[in-house]
Amino acid sequence: MTLARELLASAGTALDDLVLANHILFRERVLDGFGHVSVRHPRDPSRFVMSQSKAPATVTRDDLLVYDLEGEAIDAPGRKLYLERYIHSAVYRERTDVMAVVHSHSPAVIPFGITAMPLQAVCGVCGFLGVHVPVFEIRDAAGPATDLLIRSQALGLAMVRALGGAPVVLLRGHGSTAVGNSIAQAVYRAIYTEVNARLQADAMRLGAVNYLTAEEGAAASATNDGVISRIWNSWKAQALASA
Ligand code: MN
């Protein structure tokens, strides 16, 4: 048995949840043909699991590969890898609290990465966003002529410096990265970051916005984390029913 096969065998139910997370994020219109979701290996924190390069809606157990924290796939000759796998490797290397990562190009967040208007929590279910979501400017790290993609571990680490201890970072002109202490929390955060961006933009068209305070955001976030399994089970059931 190869090392990669052993690692996949010992990852248990995390693999099923990871496949479902791909399908859920597609159904919720956070991922389309692009973007990816990963999970830190539950028994080996120096590794993570993610699909080979494939549209999330079509990912199955057979697509899952094991990666190290430099973004290299283990025992995966011939497999095509996501160009932006370094988003995941850099986060897992620097943020030991993170167990799952979602990178998406979901559209409603884009305006908040390309204007001076900060994304911030406008409702309780989005309280985790707090009063300011950081933005990563790739020009600061790699100059004015990139294709905006996180194509190296060095760029991944630059993105993580912008993320800091936050749950989400916006990537200017590109998308966002959400992290969590479980697949459910990372998926929840990715979905509700998009919801908040839509609601905040709607509210701004109507008038001055009454945002959550930092304290309200923290309190609401703690409450929501306590019941996250309810919505996760609902998303799972819908994804399984349509499979
Ligand atoms: Mn991307």
Side-chain angles (χ1 to χ4, degrees), residues 18-28 56-60 239 243:
L18 182 59
V19 170
L20 281 169
N22 274 275
H23 303 167
I24 289 165
L25 288 162
F26 173 75
R27 291 172 57 87
E28 297 294 322
T58 67
V59 166
T60 69

Side-chain angles (χ1 to χ4, degrees), residues 70 86 90 136 141 150-161:
E70 300 299 315
Y86 306 103
F136 173 59
I150 307 294
R151 287 175 168 273
S152 69
Q153 180 80 344
L155 276 175
L157 292 169
M159 184 209 73
V160 173
R161 279 194 288 279

Side-chain angles (χ1 to χ4, degrees), residues 171-190:
L171 282 61
R172 190 268 309 159
H174 175 178
S176 60
T177 300
V179 305
N181 61 15
S182 65
I183 293 177
Q185 193 187 53
V187 166
Y188 176 97
R189 286 172 168 179

Side-chain angles (χ1 to χ4, degrees), residues 34-36 84 87 103-105 148-150 171 174-176:
F34 305 114
H36 15 80
E84 296 195 285
I87 288 172
H103 168 63
S104 86
H105 303 161
L148 303 172
L149 301 187
I150 307 294
L171 282 61
H174 175 178
S176 60

Side-chain angles (χ1 to χ4, degrees), residues 41-205:
H41 194 286
R43 291 185 153 174
D44 181 351
S46 71
R47 307 243 159 77
F48 67 98
V49 182
M50 185 167 67
S51 173
Q52 64 177 326
S53 180
K54 207 174 178 212
T58 67
V59 166
T60 69
R61 282 279 292 253
D62 293 338
D63 296 310
L64 301 182
L65 303 176
V66 182
Y67 298 77
D68 66 24
L69 300 195
E70 300 299 315
E72 297 315 313
I74 297 160
D75 299 335
R79 301 279 202 127
K80 196 170 174 209
L81 309 181
Y82 289 127
L83 294 173
E84 296 195 285
R85 56 194 181 275
Y86 306 103
I87 288 172
H88 304 260
S89 55
V91 168
Y92 292 123
R93 204 183 94 174
E94 298 299 306
R95 285 277 304 267
T96 54
D97 59 310
V98 169
M99 293 302 290
V101 177
V102 177
H103 168 63
S104 86
H105 303 161
S106 71
V109 306
I110 298 292
F112 296 93
I114 59 177
T115 64
M117 177 58 60
L119 183 67
Q120 64 182 102
V122 296
C123 56
V125 288
C126 303
F128 65 91
L129 291 172
V131 295
H132 185 87
V133 177
V135 178
F136 173 59
E137 172 52 83
I138 195 168
R139 281 183 209 135
D140 294 343
T146 70
D147 62 3
L148 303 172
L149 301 187
I150 307 294
R151 287 175 168 273
S152 69
Q153 180 80 344
L155 276 175
L157 292 169
M159 184 209 73
V160 173
R161 279 194 288 279
L163 170 69
V168 179
V169 61
L170 307 188
L171 282 61
R172 190 268 309 159
H174 175 178
S176 60
T177 300
V179 305
N181 61 15
S182 65
I183 293 177
Q185 193 187 53
V187 166
Y188 176 97
R189 286 172 168 179
I191 290 171
Y192 279 102
T193 296
E194 177 73 2
V195 168
N196 192 93
R198 217 156 50 224
L199 293 174
Q200 186 177 343
D202 285 349
M204 285 165 50
R205 282 190 280 275

